[in-house]
Coordinates of all heavy atoms in Angstrom, one line a residue:
P19 N 35.0 -18.9 -27.5 CA 36.0 -20.0 -27.0 C 36.2 -19.9 -25.5 O 35.9 -18.9 -24.9 CB 37.3 -19.5 -27.8 CG 37.1 -18.1 -28.1 CD 35.6 -17.9 -28.4
P20 N 36.6 -21.0 -24.9 CA 36.8 -21.1 -23.5 C 37.5 -19.9 -22.8 O 37.2 -19.5 -21.8 CB 37.4 -22.5 -23.2 CG 37.0 -23.3 -24.5 CD 37.0 -22.3 -25.6
W21 N 38.6 -19.5 -23.5 CA 39.4 -18.5 -22.9 C 38.6 -17.2 -22.8 O 38.8 -16.4 -21.8 CB 40.7 -18.3 -23.7 CG 40.5 -17.7 -25.1 CD1 40.4 -18.4 -26.3 CD2 40.4 -16.3 -25.5 NE1 40.2 -17.6 -27.3 CE2 40.2 -16.3 -26.9 CE3 40.4 -15.1 -24.7 CZ2 40.0 -15.1 -27.5 CZ3 40.2 -13.9 -25.4 CH2 40.0 -13.9 -26.8
A22 N 37.8 -16.9 -23.8 CA 37.0 -15.7 -23.8 C 35.9 -15.7 -22.8 O 35.6 -14.7 -22.1 CB 36.4 -15.5 -25.2
V23 N 35.3 -17.0 -22.6 CA 34.3 -17.1 -21.5 C 35.0 -16.8 -20.2 O 34.4 -16.1 -19.3 CB 33.7 -18.6 -21.6 CG1 32.8 -18.8 -20.4 CG2 32.9 -18.7 -22.9
A24 N 36.2 -17.4 -20.0 CA 36.9 -17.2 -18.7 C 37.2 -15.8 -18.5 O 37.0 -15.3 -17.3 CB 38.2 -18.1 -18.7
V25 N 37.6 -15.0 -19.5 CA 37.9 -13.6 -19.4 C 36.7 -12.8 -18.9 O 36.7 -12.0 -18.0 CB 38.6 -13.0 -20.6 CG1 38.6 -11.5 -20.6 CG2 39.9 -13.6 -20.9
L26 N 35.6 -13.1 -19.6 CA 34.3 -12.4 -19.3 C 33.9 -12.8 -17.9 O 33.2 -12.0 -17.2 CB 33.3 -12.7 -20.4 CG 33.6 -11.9 -21.7 CD1 32.6 -12.3 -22.7 CD2 33.5 -10.4 -21.4
V27 N 34.0 -14.0 -17.4 CA 33.6 -14.4 -16.1 C 34.4 -13.6 -15.1 O 33.8 -13.0 -14.1 CB 33.9 -15.9 -15.9 CG1 33.8 -16.3 -14.4 CG2 32.8 -16.7 -16.7
V28 N 35.7 -13.5 -15.3 CA 36.5 -12.7 -14.4 C 36.1 -11.2 -14.4 O 36.0 -10.6 -13.3 CB 38.0 -12.9 -14.7 CG1 38.9 -11.9 -13.9 CG2 38.5 -14.3 -14.5
A29 N 36.0 -10.7 -15.7 CA 35.6 -9.3 -15.8 C 34.2 -9.0 -15.1 O 34.0 -8.0 -14.5 CB 35.6 -8.9 -17.2
G30 N 33.3 -10.0 -15.3 CA 32.0 -9.8 -14.6 C 32.1 -9.8 -13.1 O 31.4 -9.1 -12.5
G31 N 32.9 -10.7 -12.6 CA 33.1 -10.8 -11.2 C 33.7 -9.5 -10.6 O 33.2 -9.0 -9.6
V32 N 34.7 -8.9 -11.3 CA 35.3 -7.6 -10.8 C 34.2 -6.5 -10.9 O 34.1 -5.7 -10.0 CB 36.5 -7.3 -11.7 CG1 37.0 -5.9 -11.4 CG2 37.6 -8.3 -11.5
L33 N 33.5 -6.4 -12.1 CA 32.5 -5.3 -12.1 C 31.4 -5.6 -11.2 O 30.9 -4.6 -10.6 CB 31.9 -5.3 -13.6 CG 30.9 -4.3 -13.9 CD1 31.4 -2.9 -13.6 CD2 30.4 -4.4 -15.3
G34 N 31.0 -6.8 -11.0 CA 30.0 -7.1 -10.0 C 30.4 -6.7 -8.6 O 29.6 -6.3 -7.8
W35 N 31.7 -7.0 -8.3 CA 32.2 -6.6 -7.0 C 32.1 -5.1 -6.8 O 31.6 -4.6 -5.7 CB 33.6 -7.0 -6.8 CG 34.3 -6.6 -5.5 CD1 34.1 -7.1 -4.3 CD2 35.1 -5.4 -5.4 NE1 34.9 -6.4 -3.4 CE2 35.4 -5.3 -4.0 CE3 35.5 -4.4 -6.3 CZ2 36.2 -4.3 -3.5 CZ3 36.3 -3.4 -5.8 CH2 36.6 -3.3 -4.4
A36 N 32.4 -4.3 -7.8 CA 32.4 -2.8 -7.7 C 31.0 -2.4 -7.6 O 30.7 -1.5 -6.9 CB 33.1 -2.2 -9.0
T37 N 30.1 -3.0 -8.4 CA 28.7 -2.7 -8.4 C 28.1 -2.9 -7.0 O 27.3 -2.0 -6.5 CB 27.9 -3.4 -9.4 OG1 28.5 -3.2 -10.7 CG2 26.4 -3.1 -9.4
G38 N 28.4 -4.1 -6.4 CA 27.9 -4.4 -5.1 C 28.4 -3.3 -4.0 O 27.6 -3.0 -3.1
R39 N 29.7 -2.9 -4.1 CA 30.2 -1.9 -3.2 C 29.4 -0.6 -3.3 O 29.1 0.0 -2.3 CB 31.6 -1.7 -3.5 CG 32.6 -2.9 -3.3 CD 32.8 -3.1 -1.8 NE 33.6 -2.1 -1.3 CZ 34.0 -2.0 0.0 NH1 33.6 -3.0 0.8 NH2 34.7 -1.0 0.5
I40 N 29.1 -0.2 -4.6 CA 28.4 1.0 -4.7 C 26.9 0.9 -4.3 O 26.4 1.7 -3.6 CB 28.4 1.5 -6.2 CG1 29.9 1.8 -6.6 CG2 27.5 2.7 -6.5 CD1 30.1 2.0 -8.1
L41 N 26.3 -0.2 -4.7 CA 24.9 -0.3 -4.3 C 24.7 -0.5 -2.8 O 23.7 -0.1 -2.2 CB 24.2 -1.5 -5.1 CG 24.1 -1.4 -6.6 CD1 23.6 -2.7 -7.2 CD2 23.1 -0.2 -6.9
G42 N 25.7 -1.1 -2.2 CA 25.6 -1.4 -0.8 C 25.5 -0.1 0.1 O 25.1 -0.2 1.3
T43 N 25.9 1.0 -0.5 CA 25.8 2.3 0.2 C 24.3 2.8 0.3 O 24.0 3.7 1.0 CB 26.6 3.4 -0.4 OG1 26.1 3.7 -1.7 CG2 28.1 2.9 -0.5
G44 N 23.5 2.3 -0.6 CA 22.0 2.7 -0.7 C 21.9 4.1 -1.3 O 20.9 4.7 -1.1
G45 N 22.9 4.5 -2.1 CA 22.8 5.8 -2.7 C 21.7 6.0 -3.7 O 21.4 7.2 -4.0
Y46 N 21.1 5.0 -4.1 CA 20.0 5.1 -5.1 C 18.7 5.3 -4.4 O 17.7 5.6 -5.1 CB 19.8 3.7 -5.9 CG 19.8 2.6 -4.9 CD1 18.6 2.2 -4.3 CD2 20.9 1.8 -4.6 CE1 18.5 1.1 -3.4 CE2 20.9 0.8 -3.7 CZ 19.7 0.4 -3.1 OH 19.6 -0.6 -2.2
R47 N 18.6 5.3 -3.1 CA 17.3 5.5 -2.4 C 16.9 6.9 -2.5 O 17.7 7.9 -2.5 CB 17.5 5.1 -1.0 CG 17.7 3.6 -0.8 CD 17.9 3.2 0.6 NE 18.0 1.8 0.8 CZ 18.2 1.2 1.9 NH1 18.3 1.9 3.0 NH2 18.2 -0.2 2.0
I48 N 15.6 7.1 -2.5 CA 15.0 8.5 -2.5 C 14.1 8.5 -1.2 O 13.8 7.6 -0.5 CB 14.2 8.8 -3.7 CG1 13.0 7.7 -3.9 CG2 15.1 8.8 -4.9 CD1 12.2 8.1 -5.1
E49 N 13.7 9.8 -0.9 CA 13.0 10.0 0.4 C 11.7 9.2 0.5 O 11.3 8.7 1.6 CB 12.6 11.5 0.5 CG 12.1 11.9 1.8 CD 11.9 13.4 2.0 OE1 12.5 14.1 1.2 OE2 11.2 13.8 2.9
S50 N 11.0 8.9 -0.6 CA 9.7 8.2 -0.6 C 9.9 6.7 -0.5 O 8.9 6.0 -0.3 CB 8.9 8.5 -1.8 OG 9.6 8.1 -3.0
D51 N 11.1 6.2 -0.6 CA 11.3 4.7 -0.5 C 11.1 4.2 0.9 O 11.5 4.9 1.9 CB 12.8 4.4 -0.9 CG 13.0 4.5 -2.4 OD1 12.0 4.4 -3.1 OD2 14.1 4.6 -2.8
E52 N 10.5 3.1 1.0 CA 10.3 2.4 2.3 C 11.3 1.3 2.4 O 11.1 0.2 1.9 CB 8.9 1.9 2.4 CG 7.8 2.9 2.5 CD 6.4 2.4 2.6 OE1 6.3 1.1 2.8 OE2 5.4 3.2 2.6
A53 N 12.4 1.6 3.1 CA 13.4 0.6 3.2 C 14.2 0.7 4.5 O 14.1 1.8 5.1 CB 14.4 0.7 2.1
G54 N 14.8 -0.3 4.9 CA 15.6 -0.3 6.1 C 17.0 0.2 5.8 O 17.2 1.0 4.9
P55 N 18.0 -0.1 6.7 CA 19.3 0.3 6.5 C 19.8 -0.2 5.2 O 19.3 -1.1 4.6 CB 20.0 -0.3 7.7 CG 19.0 -0.6 8.7 CD 17.8 -0.9 7.9
A56 N 21.0 0.4 4.8 CA 21.6 -0.1 3.6 C 22.0 -1.5 3.8 O 21.9 -2.1 4.8 CB 22.8 0.8 3.3
L57 N 22.5 -2.2 2.7 CA 22.7 -3.6 2.7 C 24.2 -4.0 2.6 O 24.6 -4.7 1.7 CB 21.9 -4.3 1.5 CG 20.4 -3.9 1.4 CD1 19.9 -4.4 0.1 CD2 19.7 -4.6 2.6
P58 N 25.0 -3.7 3.6 CA 26.4 -4.0 3.5 C 26.6 -5.5 3.5 O 27.6 -5.9 2.9 CB 27.0 -3.3 4.8 CG 25.8 -3.3 5.7 CD 24.6 -3.0 4.9
R59 N 25.9 -6.3 4.2 CA 26.1 -7.7 4.2 C 25.8 -8.4 2.9 O 26.2 -9.5 2.6 CB 25.3 -8.4 5.3 CG 25.7 -7.9 6.7 CD 24.8 -8.6 7.8 NE 25.2 -8.2 9.1 CZ 24.6 -8.6 10.2 NH1 23.6 -9.5 10.1 NH2 25.0 -8.2 11.4
A60 N 25.0 -7.7 2.1 CA 24.6 -8.4 0.8 C 25.5 -7.9 -0.3 O 25.3 -8.2 -1.5 CB 23.2 -8.0 0.5
R61 N 26.6 -7.2 -0.1 CA 27.5 -6.6 -1.1 C 28.2 -7.8 -1.9 O 28.7 -7.6 -3.0 CB 28.5 -5.7 -0.5 CG 27.9 -4.4 0.0 CD 29.0 -3.5 0.5 NE 28.5 -2.3 1.1 CZ 29.2 -1.4 1.6 NH1 30.5 -1.4 1.4 NH2 28.6 -0.3 2.2
W62 N 28.3 -9.0 -1.3 CA 29.1 -10.0 -2.0 C 28.4 -10.6 -3.2 O 29.1 -11.0 -4.2 CB 29.3 -11.2 -0.9 CG 28.0 -11.9 -0.5 CD1 27.2 -11.5 0.5 CD2 27.3 -13.0 -1.2 NE1 26.1 -12.3 0.6 CE2 26.2 -13.2 -0.4 CE3 27.6 -13.7 -2.3 CZ2 25.3 -14.3 -0.8 CZ3 26.8 -14.7 -2.6 CH2 25.6 -15.0 -1.9
W63 N 27.0 -10.7 -3.3 CA 26.4 -11.5 -4.3 C 26.4 -10.9 -5.7 O 26.4 -11.7 -6.7 CB 25.0 -11.9 -3.9 CG 23.9 -10.7 -4.0 CD1 23.5 -10.0 -3.0 CD2 23.2 -10.3 -5.2 NE1 22.5 -9.1 -3.4 CE2 22.4 -9.2 -4.8 CE3 23.3 -10.6 -6.5 CZ2 21.6 -8.5 -5.6 CZ3 22.5 -9.9 -7.4 CH2 21.6 -8.9 -7.0
P64 N 26.5 -9.6 -5.9 CA 26.6 -9.2 -7.3 C 27.8 -9.7 -8.1 O 27.8 -9.9 -9.3 CB 26.6 -7.6 -7.2 CG 25.9 -7.3 -6.0 CD 26.3 -8.4 -5.0
A65 N 28.9 -9.9 -7.4 CA 30.1 -10.4 -8.0 C 29.9 -11.8 -8.6 O 30.1 -12.0 -9.9 CB 31.3 -10.4 -7.1
P66 N 29.5 -12.8 -7.9 CA 29.3 -14.1 -8.5 C 28.1 -14.1 -9.5 O 28.1 -14.8 -10.5 CB 29.0 -15.1 -7.3 CG 28.6 -14.2 -6.2 CD 29.4 -12.9 -6.4
A67 N 27.1 -13.3 -9.2 CA 25.9 -13.2 -10.1 C 26.3 -12.7 -11.5 O 25.9 -13.3 -12.5 CB 24.8 -12.3 -9.4
L68 N 27.1 -11.6 -11.5 CA 27.4 -11.0 -12.8 C 28.5 -11.9 -13.5 O 28.5 -12.0 -14.7 CB 28.0 -9.6 -12.6 CG 28.1 -8.8 -13.9 CD1 26.9 -8.7 -14.7 CD2 28.6 -7.4 -13.6
A69 N 29.4 -12.5 -12.8 CA 30.3 -13.5 -13.4 C 29.6 -14.6 -14.1 O 29.8 -15.0 -15.2 CB 31.2 -14.0 -12.3
L70 N 28.5 -15.1 -13.4 CA 27.7 -16.2 -14.0 C 27.0 -15.8 -15.2 O 26.9 -16.4 -16.2 CB 26.7 -16.8 -12.9 CG 25.8 -17.9 -13.4 CD1 26.5 -19.1 -13.8 CD2 24.8 -18.2 -12.3
V71 N 26.3 -14.6 -15.1 CA 25.6 -14.0 -16.2 C 26.5 -13.8 -17.4 O 26.1 -14.1 -18.5 CB 24.9 -12.7 -15.8 CG1 24.3 -12.0 -17.0 CG2 23.7 -13.1 -14.8
W72 N 27.6 -13.2 -17.2 CA 28.5 -12.9 -18.4 C 29.1 -14.1 -18.9 O 29.3 -14.2 -20.2 CB 29.6 -11.9 -17.9 CG 29.2 -10.5 -18.0 CD1 27.9 -10.0 -17.9 CD2 30.0 -9.3 -18.0 NE1 27.9 -8.6 -18.0 CE2 29.1 -8.1 -18.0 CE3 31.4 -9.1 -18.1 CZ2 29.6 -6.8 -18.1 CZ3 31.9 -7.8 -18.1 CH2 31.0 -6.7 -18.2
G73 N 29.3 -15.1 -18.1 CA 29.8 -16.4 -18.6 C 28.7 -17.1 -19.5 O 29.0 -17.6 -20.6
L74 N 27.4 -17.0 -19.0 CA 26.4 -17.6 -19.8 C 26.2 -16.9 -21.1 O 26.1 -17.5 -22.2 CB 25.0 -17.5 -18.9 CG 23.8 -17.7 -19.7 CD1 23.6 -19.2 -20.2 CD2 22.6 -17.3 -18.9
L75 N 26.3 -15.5 -21.1 CA 26.1 -14.8 -22.3 C 27.2 -15.0 -23.3 O 27.0 -15.1 -24.5 CB 26.0 -13.3 -22.0 CG 24.7 -12.9 -21.2 CD1 24.8 -11.4 -20.7 CD2 23.5 -13.1 -22.0

Side-chain angles (χ1 to χ4, degrees):
W21 68 265
V23 175
V25 167
L26 285 173
V27 166
V28 173
V32 173
L33 180 58
W35 175 83
T37 301
R39 296 283 296 179
I40 294 170
L41 292 175
T43 66
Y46 51 84
R47 293 177 175 179
I48 59 177
E49 189 174 342
S50 60
D51 287 336
E52 296 181 4
L57 306 170
R59 295 182 181 177
R61 291 182 187 185
W62 64 269
W63 72 260
L68 192 55
L70 177 64
V71 166
W72 276 21
L74 168 68
L75 292 172

